[in-house]
Amino acid sequence: MSWETHIADATVEIFSTMLMMEVSSQPPLTERIKSHQDSVTGMVGMAGLYKGMLAIHAPSQVAMTITGNFLGLEVDSVNDDVKDAMGELANMLAGSIKAKLSDNSKDIQLSIPSAVCGDSYSLDYQPQQGSSMVPFESAGGRFLVELQLEQQT
Amino acid sequence: MDFAQAIIEATSDVFNTMVMLEAAPGMQATEKTTAFNDAISGILGFSGDIKGMLRINCPNQVAMAITGSLLGMEVEEIDDDVRDAIGEIANMIAGGLKIYFTRHNHIIELSIPTAIGGQSYTVHSLANAEWVAVPFTLAAGVMVVELQFVGLK
């Protein structure tokens, strides 16, 4: 089973149906990027049959473009709308990936989304069974979708 | 259910039995702190009867003191050990909360911990989530343990 394919399919689908944005997936990164500069990260936890975390990382400029498309308004700073939109996007991506991982919707449950932003921050976690980071290109710029998953036995 | 009490019990248990450092709980916070400088936050999502996020926020000095005591060694800089330790502390506190909630007939499942750190970052959660935060005073400074959640009937 390829998590990268699930990430790519879910992201392309959600951007095209919810944000009316065409995005294309790039080959998964062989080494994850953990430091982010002038960026916004939306994240949501996954619990149950699979435990994990889904995150979407975008440079501030790209996050503003995404939010503008999402909400249909002009966005000129990283305000609460942008943080809410990135958190909600993480929530939608995780919801879509969760449906691809298991037919039973009760097997995986999502936490509430959260967002982090700033000039310079890093995200770390202990090595899990599976982790992948997929870059996407859009007209607004490049962003990353990251999934860490651990299947419960 | 008393969420502040849940935080105090779970955190004190981890500090008394695992970290072996005194962490004195203070009054429940009334104002959210969302911007951090030179700090590390351990974040963990959970779902089930209550959906939410646990976050522990530590200034770098506090994070290093906790890591040093947990691992029994001198810690002089923010390295992978510190990031792993703060994620693991979040995981252990979440485990304690899960037990507390279970005693009150609320079942939750945990996701995996992530450590966020940096010179300058802000954290953001859903506007409509409930929020409870308790500060703990250690010799090295103040750590704040926060819970954001929805769904409790």
Side-chain angles (χ1 to χ4, degrees), chain B residues 1 3 6 11 15 19-21 29 38-39 78 101 109 113 120 122 139 151:
Chain B
M1 191 160 55
F3 285 90
T11 306
F15 275 76
V19 187
M20 311 290 181
L21 271 187
D38 292 321
I78 300 296
F101 292 165
E109 296 292 338
S120 164
T122 63

Side-chain angles (χ1 to χ4, degrees), chain A residues 34 43-48 50-53 80 83-84 88 91 109-128 148-150, chain B residues 43-48 51-53 55 80 83-85 87-88 109-127 129 148-150:
Chain A
K34 65 183 204 176
M43 55 201 282
V44 67
M46 303 165 86
Y50 291 87
K51 286 168 85 158
M53 181 76 88
D80 283 353
K83 297 174 212 170
D84 279 341
E88 187 47 36
N91 204 29
Q109 297 180 305
L110 305 184
S111 75
I112 58 173
S114 174
V116 177
C117 61
D119 291 342
S120 171
Y121 60 91
S122 65
L123 266 89
D124 280 87
Y125 49 85
Q126 287 155 16
Q128 307 295 333
Q148 326 159 27
L149 269 189
E150 186 180 69
Chain B
I43 297 192
L44 191 141
F46 55 88
S47 192
K51 283 171 74 159
M53 278 268 180
R55 192 161 57 219
D80 284 347
R83 289 182 276 262
D84 279 352
E88 192 47 37
E109 296 292 338
L110 307 180
S111 76
I112 54 177
T114 302
I116 292 171
Q119 285 179 342
S120 164
Y121 61 96
T122 63
V123 293
H124 178 82
S125 288
L126 286 182
Q148 319 223 9
F149 57 93
V150 295

